[in-house]
Amino acid sequence: MSRTRVSEALHTPDSLRHRSETVSGTLPPLMLEAEHLAATIMLGHHGRRRSGMGDEFWQYRPAEVGDGVRAIDWRRSARADTPFVREKEWQAAQSLMLWVDDSASMAFTGGRDRPSKLRRAQTLSMALAILAIRSGERVGLTTLFEPPKAGNVQLLRLSQALMDPAEPDDYGSPVFSEMPSGARAVFLSDFLGDTAGVEKALTTAADRGVKGALVMILDPDEEAFPYDGRTVFESMSGAIRFETLKAKGLREAYIERLAARKDALETLCRRTGWRLDIHHTDHAPEEALLWLYHALERVR
């Protein structure tokens, strides 16, 4: 007889809370993992720079018809036969809001050789926060109920908050704090619970001009349903328990319901201007992070 519940001891609420109390005990592993992941994307600060109102020099370019006399940099122009304009960098700081589902279902992993869904969500969100802050953006967590901020101190606050989840329910629902109008947002979850909360969060966000992306994180066992014979299905919190002698007979119905859930999320995203990615924990996290970066650029 097999059981489907597999949780990582490192990710129980008590152990997470204990480790988050000491920066030297909890934050470095998550930060190191996120830093390494962010470094693989190789975005660089120049990747998001564009001209506009600001104080920081960006580039010289040849003067064009319509450029005012005051825009010409005469010192630079004196070294060439063509007048040049000194452009400054666009500095309207963007805001990025993150929600990481820390419910009990996110602690699941079907194998010791891969991380839990929660750990993958934590790592992806921190790597994304690192990239955003280093690009001059402000980042916040919806669960902190405060405005997004910039700087390395904010990164430490975010990582500590992520590693100190509340007492979890079986499934999570997005916490929608007051997001800045026009901000972007990313929600990371398995989205296996009631979809009403997700729908409310995305429609409320769309009303405020907030667009973003959902990342549905699944363990490969949740995708393939490789169970057979006598099996006990138990929720991560232990609140729900179901035993069957023929687990394989449930596979077709399960896969159909999972496909329906994905279709519902995709439809919701199309309706609200968001984007959806399905990520499996046996795949490289770089795939999801690169997808997120391009997805957020498209909804800018």
Side-chain angles (χ1 to χ4, degrees):
M1 180 176 68
S2 63
R3 289 179 179 269
T4 65
R5 185 175 68 177
V6 183
S7 62
E8 295 177 307
L10 291 178
H11 296 292
T12 63
D14 287 342
S15 65
L16 284 173
R17 188 171 296 107
H18 173 72
R19 292 189 304 154
S20 67
E21 291 174 354
T22 305
V23 172
S24 62
T26 300
L27 304 189
L30 176 59
M31 287 293 290
L32 184 62
E33 190 176 350
E35 287 270 9
H36 176 74
L37 178 57
T40 64
I41 301 302
M42 300 294 289
L43 296 180
H45 186 59
H46 183 71
R48 290 191 175 183
R49 297 174 78 179
R50 45 180 166 161
S51 66
M53 297 300 295
D55 299 319
E56 186 176 346
F57 169 72
W58 180 31
Q59 67 176 5
Y60 290 112
R61 65 166 175 80
E64 301 173 350
V65 176
D67 289 328
V69 175
R70 291 185 178 182
I72 296 176
D73 188 294
W74 297 106
R75 179 176 297 181
R76 173 65 180 86
S77 301
R79 302 199 302 268
D81 297 330
T82 303
F84 279 85
V85 169
R86 180 185 178 94
E87 288 192 328
K88 297 178 180 180
E89 184 179 351
W90 182 80
Q91 289 184 332
Q94 292 283 330
S95 293
L96 174 65
M97 297 298 294
L98 303 169
W99 173 67
V100 175
D101 183 359
D102 59 5
S103 64
S105 71
M106 291 294 287
F108 178 77
T109 175
R112 298 292 182 181
D113 59 338
R114 51 185 179 263
S116 68
K117 296 180 288 184
L118 176 59
R119 185 61 175 191
R120 180 55 56 86
Q122 291 168 333
T123 305
L124 284 173
S125 60
M126 277 307 304
L128 190 61
I130 289 170
L131 292 173
I133 282 181
R134 289 181 179 173
S135 296
E137 301 186 19
R138 303 185 183 96
V139 182
L141 289 177
T142 62
T143 51
L144 290 180
F145 298 100
E146 60 183 37
K149 300 176 183 178
N152 290 330
V153 172
Q154 178 69 350
L155 287 176
L156 292 174
R157 294 185 73 254
L158 296 178
S159 59
Q160 189 164 18
L162 286 171
M163 294 299 290
D164 190 21
E167 199 70 28
D169 296 322
D170 273 328
Y171 299 103
S173 184
V175 176
F176 190 86
S177 59
E178 192 68 19
M179 296 186 187
S181 179
R184 294 169 302 155
V186 174
F187 295 165
L188 301 100
S189 171
D190 55 17
F191 298 108
L192 295 179
D194 188 356
T195 58
V198 183
E199 183 173 4
K200 180 179 179 181
L202 263 62
T203 53
T204 303
D207 289 342
R208 290 188 54 80
V210 176
K211 294 183 180 180
L214 302 183
V215 181
M216 186 182 197
I217 301 176
L218 297 173
D219 184 274
D221 284 3
E222 293 174 316
E223 188 76 65
F225 199 83
Y227 308 113
D228 194 7
R230 186 183 180 191
T231 305
V232 175
F233 295 94
E234 189 174 15
S235 66
M236 296 302 296
S237 70
I240 303 174
R241 189 177 187 274
F242 173 75
E243 182 175 352
T244 180
L245 297 177
K246 299 179 179 180
K248 189 175 182 180
L250 302 175
R251 184 174 185 273
E252 184 176 348
Y254 170 84
I255 290 178
E256 288 179 357
R257 291 194 65 176
L258 182 60
R261 174 57 54 91
K262 293 177 182 178
D263 288 343
L265 291 172
E266 184 67 52
T267 299
L268 178 59
C269 285
R270 283 198 303 268
R271 182 158 56 87
T272 56
W274 283 50
R275 298 176 65 83
L276 173 68
D277 183 41
I278 312 295
H279 176 69
H280 300 116
T281 54
D282 62 338
H283 289 190
E286 290 84 356
E287 296 177 11
L289 184 59
L290 188 59
W291 180 90
L292 272 171
Y293 174 70
H294 291 304
L296 291 178
E297 283 293 289
R298 292 189 184 100
V299 300
R300 180 184 290 276

